[in-house]
Amino acid sequence: MALTEVSKNKVFGGWQKIYSHVSEELGCKMNFGVYLPPQSESEKVPVIYWLSGLTCTEQNFVTKAGSQQLAAEYGVIVVAPDTSPRGCGIEGEDDSWDFGTGAGFYVDATEEKWKKNYRMYSYVTKELPQLIQANFPADRQRQSIMGHSMGGHGALISFLKNPGLYKAVSAFAPICHPVDCPWGNKAFLGYLGSDRTAWENYDAFALTKKYQGPVPDILIDQGKDDQFWHQQQLLPEKFVAACAEAKIPVVLRMQEGYDHSYYFIASFLRDHFAHHARHLKA
């Protein structure tokens, strides 16, 4: 699991770095960002994994969210991977913005064309954490996960499918019920085939019915001026209803005037770091 350092910049007393490596799960070179807070120079610290949305790379969160100051204050490593394999030579991988490159949807594909490379679920929940723990001063017992849009979907399902693996979860404008929205239907049909019961294994709404583990504490922020919320792509209300039925605590905050952008994320990211720190440092 050799890493190649692509870039490093000192910020708020720590280091924002970008690394590349050849992924065994994905069969291609992958980049990820990692922020190492000043505290990590003398001790092992907790880790927050951030999963980005459609069309993003590892750079979006690193350059737009303002997370480094918060990570330095709270003393946490922040890891931001890419959103899909890239350059795999699969016919059609670059044909659309919401499927293929930049749109891995954090599933392990089962359809023949995609199943060798499109294994983002196993990459973010298994291979990447192993890589982080092997190469950085990360406390393997204290990790959590958050994300935005498609990445919010990824964070929610990763948490719900792995009880106890993550201490906390939160999301900005997540795709909460992909089985029932156009983005999810397109991605799941392409990656997982036509059996809709298989889709439910990667649907946060459906996974609430199966969850058995420590009582979670889920935080979701959703902008009221988000065009994709209005287009019924995100469906947070359905997820909240499913959580209520399953007796899973969740807080959904509807934010007046905010859209789907990183301006929205930056506005409330401090609240999310505080949410994670409360659990990571308990």
Side-chain angles (χ1 to χ4, degrees):
M1 290 189 179
L3 296 181
T4 300
E5 188 177 283
V6 176
S7 67
K8 67 175 182 178
N9 299 92
K10 191 159 190 176
V11 53
F12 293 106
W15 290 95
Q16 177 63 61
K17 299 186 177 186
I18 304 295
Y19 287 92
S20 68
H21 73 109
V22 176
S23 167
E24 294 177 4
E25 286 287 357
L26 307 179
C28 67
K29 188 177 83 170
M30 292 291 287
N31 286 356
F32 66 87
V34 58
Y35 178 73
L36 301 170
Q39 298 88 335
S40 68
E41 293 180 7
S42 59
E43 61 181 328
K44 288 190 174 183
V45 297
V47 185
I48 298 176
Y49 290 89
W50 168 272
L51 304 183
S52 290
L54 290 163
T55 75
C56 290
T57 70
E58 77 288 345
Q59 289 288 341
N60 295 71
F61 184 73
V62 166
T63 58
K64 294 181 178 182
S67 61
Q68 293 87 355
Q69 182 176 7
L70 298 170
E73 287 180 21
Y74 285 106
V76 295
I77 292 172
V78 179
V79 178
D82 202 347
T83 56
S84 77
R86 293 182 187 269
C88 295
I90 302 170
E91 182 185 1
E93 67 182 344
D94 295 323
D95 286 357
S96 58
W97 65 273
D98 56 357
F99 184 80
T101 301
F105 262 85
Y106 304 104
V107 303
D108 285 351
T110 54
E111 287 295 279
E112 189 63 35
K113 187 175 177 181
W114 306 97
K115 68 180 184 181
K116 177 183 176 182
N117 302 104
Y118 276 69
R119 297 180 50 78
M120 285 299 293
Y121 172 74
S122 287
Y123 178 70
V124 300
T125 61
K126 297 174 185 176
E127 183 179 6
L128 185 59
Q130 290 171 3
L131 199 65
I132 297 302
Q133 289 157 12
N135 290 277
F136 303 100
D139 184 343
R140 68 174 64 235
Q141 302 302 321
R142 295 187 294 163
Q143 61 181 12
S144 65
I145 192 163
M146 65 168 87
H148 170 231
S149 194
M150 178 186 73
H153 143 76
L156 290 173
I157 65 166
S158 296
F159 181 88
L160 292 169
K161 286 169 71 69
N162 297 280
L165 182 61
Y166 302 100
K167 297 295 186 184
V169 62
S170 70
F172 293 86
I175 303 171
C176 291
H177 193 13
V179 165
D180 200 30
C181 78
W183 278 341
N185 273 240
K186 178 177 180 178
F188 285 6
L189 182 63
Y191 295 135
L192 304 174
S194 58
D195 180 3
R196 293 177 70 91
T197 59
W199 298 9
E200 293 183 354
N201 291 323
Y202 296 101
D203 182 286
F205 171 89
L207 289 169
T208 61
K209 299 173 175 61
K210 303 176 183 178
Y211 181 79
Q212 292 183 331
V215 177
D217 181 13
I218 302 172
L219 172 62
I220 297 174
D221 273 310
Q222 173 62 60
K224 283 190 173 182
D225 279 8
D226 185 329
Q227 69 190 75
F228 303 118
W229 176 59
H230 288 287
Q231 292 171 6
Q232 301 293 301
Q233 295 279 19
L234 308 176
L235 306 174
E237 299 89 347
K238 289 191 175 183
F239 178 70
V240 168
C243 284
E245 187 173 330
K247 295 182 170 55
I248 294 175
V250 59
V251 173
L252 170 63
R253 307 192 307 183
M254 301 299 298
Q255 304 291 1
E256 194 72 46
Y258 287 90
D259 57 19
H260 200 71
S261 71
Y262 267 85
Y263 295 112
F264 161 59
I265 294 169
S267 298
F268 300 103
L269 190 60
R270 177 173 290 277
D271 293 351
H272 286 245
F273 266 75
H275 169 79
H276 286 256
R278 189 166 63 250
H279 295 278
L280 290 169
K281 302 201 171 186

